[in-house]
């Protein structure tokens, strides 16, 4: 199994439109961050994407994804679902709907935002989506087991996911003790680390580092990074052993 980071940026991406800061002006490709998403490529389960960001089309082209088996949604904020319309390209070439795994709350938003895909009269060429409900129990996507991890994004419920020894959590600033237990034993943990300053709905870098240490995960990668965190080349060497900033295009073989 391989996990590819399709995007590691926060809701505005990096560079931010019209921003003159050193991070947004950086020539380092590790400072060019599309909105946060990952691609799971498994020999048996196929290609599964977590979240369809506003950059979904380009992310699929850049990663040269030719087939998509399913999409798993963490939550319904625009930076995590806005690219869902571009699933229609896979519908066309695969000649079948794509399964979308999401909580009931996220499904309500998806139906509202992409109402034309669920209308009684379907205009030709719209995305064909099969909504699959994520509850509290583990579920399988093409035979690959996912364990949902309930986290809070300020007051908004968000889902993280563990599959095998890999745990992916984005858009969180609180994880209850019983949910942390689902993470323990992971070999790789991905956590959001927005910036150094306190934020109402995201872990800071220090908070994410502390959580990684608490859970004793050997490899911790940080994502959903804003331009306020600083240059990759300057921040990454300062991190504790076993911890790194993720970047677009990073591949992890499991």
């Amino acid at each position: 199994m391989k996990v590819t980071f399709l995007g590691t940026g926060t809701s505005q991406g990096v560079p931010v439109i019209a921003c003159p800061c050193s991070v947004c002006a950086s020539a380092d490709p590790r400072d060019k961050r599309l909105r946060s998403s990952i691609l799971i490529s498994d020999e048996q389960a196929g290609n599964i994407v977590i979240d369809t960001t506003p950059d979904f089309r380009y992310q699929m082209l850049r990663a040269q994804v030719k087939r998509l088996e399913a999409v798993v949604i963490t939550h319904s904020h625009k930076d995590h679902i806005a690219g869902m319309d571009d699933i229609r390209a896979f519908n066309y070439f695969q000649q079948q709907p794509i399964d979308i795994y999401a909580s009931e709350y996220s499904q309500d938003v998806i139906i509202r935002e992409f109402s034309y895909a669920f209308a009684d009269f379907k205009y030709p060429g719209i995305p064909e989506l099969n909504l699959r409900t994520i509850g509290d129990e583990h579920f399988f996507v093409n035979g690959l087991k996912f364990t949902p991890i309930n986290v809070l994004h300020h007051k908004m419920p968000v889902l993280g996911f563990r599959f095998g020894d890999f745990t992916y959590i984005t858009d969180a600033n609180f994880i209850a003790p019983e949910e942390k237990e689902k993470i323990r034993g992971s070999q790789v943990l991905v956590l959001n680390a927005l910036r150094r300053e306190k934020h109402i709905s995201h872990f800071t870098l220090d908070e994410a580092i502390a959580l990684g240490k608490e859970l004793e995960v050997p490899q911790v990668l940080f994502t959903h990074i804003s331009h306020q965190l600083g240059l990759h080349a300057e921040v990454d060497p300062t991190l504790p052993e076993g911890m790194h900033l993720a970047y677009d295009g990073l591949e992890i073989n499991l």
Side-chain angles (χ1 to χ4, degrees), residues 81-101:
I81 67 167
M84 196 169 292
D85 181 81
D86 283 313
I87 284 175
R88 57 198 171 103
F90 292 111
N91 296 143
Y92 176 79
F93 286 108
Q94 295 173 209
Q95 289 295 293
Q96 63 185 25
I98 300 297
D99 288 336
I100 310 296
Y101 292 80

Side-chain angles (χ1 to χ4, degrees), residues 28-94:
D28 188 339
R30 296 172 300 178
D31 290 319
K32 309 296 185 186
R33 301 183 183 276
L34 301 179
R35 269 61 72 94
S36 288
S37 173
I38 60 171
L39 168 67
I40 304 161
S41 301
D42 181 75
E43 188 172 324
Q44 294 183 331
N47 290 326
I48 301 166
V49 166
I50 296 186
D51 291 337
T52 54
T53 80
D55 306 306
F56 176 73
R57 173 184 172 275
Y58 180 60
Q59 288 168 336
M60 294 296 94
L61 291 169
R62 184 172 66 176
Q64 299 183 10
V65 179
K66 303 300 183 184
R67 182 176 177 86
L68 182 66
E69 271 63 45
V71 171
V72 180
I73 298 295
T74 61
H75 66 298
S76 57
H77 277 167
K78 275 285 194 181
D79 56 319
H80 293 263
I81 67 167
M84 196 169 292
D85 181 81
D86 283 313
I87 284 175
R88 57 198 171 103
F90 292 111
N91 296 143
Y92 176 79
F93 286 108
Q94 295 173 209

Side-chain angles (χ1 to χ4, degrees):
M1 184 190 300
K2 180 175 70 175
V3 175
T4 303
F5 286 81
L6 300 172
T8 55
T10 187
S11 59
Q12 291 183 307
V14 184
V16 175
I17 293 172
C19 180
C21 80
S22 61
V23 176
C24 290
S26 171
D28 188 339
R30 296 172 300 178
D31 290 319
K32 309 296 185 186
R33 301 183 183 276
L34 301 179
R35 269 61 72 94
S36 288
S37 173
I38 60 171
L39 168 67
I40 304 161
S41 301
D42 181 75
E43 188 172 324
Q44 294 183 331
N47 290 326
I48 301 166
V49 166
I50 296 186
D51 291 337
T52 54
T53 80
D55 306 306
F56 176 73
R57 173 184 172 275
Y58 180 60
Q59 288 168 336
M60 294 296 94
L61 291 169
R62 184 172 66 176
Q64 299 183 10
V65 179
K66 303 300 183 184
R67 182 176 177 86
L68 182 66
E69 271 63 45
V71 171
V72 180
I73 298 295
T74 61
H75 66 298
S76 57
H77 277 167
K78 275 285 194 181
D79 56 319
H80 293 263
I81 67 167
M84 196 169 292
D85 181 81
D86 283 313
I87 284 175
R88 57 198 171 103
F90 292 111
N91 296 143
Y92 176 79
F93 286 108
Q94 295 173 209
Q95 289 295 293
Q96 63 185 25
I98 300 297
D99 288 336
I100 310 296
Y101 292 80
S103 68
E104 289 185 349
Y105 177 82
S106 291
Q107 287 182 31
D108 289 342
V109 177
I110 291 168
I111 292 169
R112 184 173 70 245
E113 295 290 327
F114 301 94
S115 57
Y116 55 90
F118 303 96
D120 292 335
F121 171 76
K122 291 181 170 59
Y123 194 83
I126 63 172
E128 299 174 52
L129 313 171
N130 278 340
L131 294 180
R132 308 286 189 184
T133 302
I134 300 174
D136 292 328
E137 302 300 319
H138 66 257
F139 60 98
F140 291 87
V141 181
N142 261 22
L144 181 61
K145 181 181 177 180
F146 282 76
T147 299
I149 300 168
N150 296 292
V151 304
L152 285 178
H153 183 35
H154 186 38
K155 296 182 179 180
M156 181 183 189
V158 169
L159 293 175
F161 300 102
R162 177 172 178 173
F163 46 95
D165 292 328
F166 190 101
T167 298
Y168 181 77
I169 295 173
T170 182
D171 289 65
N173 70 328
F174 176 79
I175 306 176
E178 62 271 20
E179 299 301 310
K180 289 179 182 178
E181 291 305 310
K182 298 177 183 178
I183 303 170
R184 291 191 188 276
S186 298
Q187 294 300 303
V188 182
L189 171 61
V190 180
L191 280 174
N192 62 306
L194 186 74
R195 62 188 191 189
R196 296 184 186 277
E197 297 79 13
K198 189 73 175 175
H199 192 271
I200 192 173
S201 60
H202 283 279
F203 287 129
T204 65
L205 179 60
D206 284 344
E207 289 168 341
I209 289 171
L211 183 55
K213 289 180 177 178
E214 176 190 345
L215 296 174
E216 300 180 317
V217 178
Q219 185 175 7
V220 182
L221 297 164
F222 302 120
T223 192
H224 214 289
I225 294 165
S226 84
H227 64 152
Q228 296 169 317
L229 184 60
L231 294 164
H232 187 287
E234 294 180 358
V235 176
D236 193 70
T238 70
L239 298 177
E241 183 179 358
M243 298 188 181
H244 292 281
L245 300 184
Y247 54 86
D248 289 22
L250 174 64
E251 297 180 351
I252 304 294
N253 291 299
L254 304 175

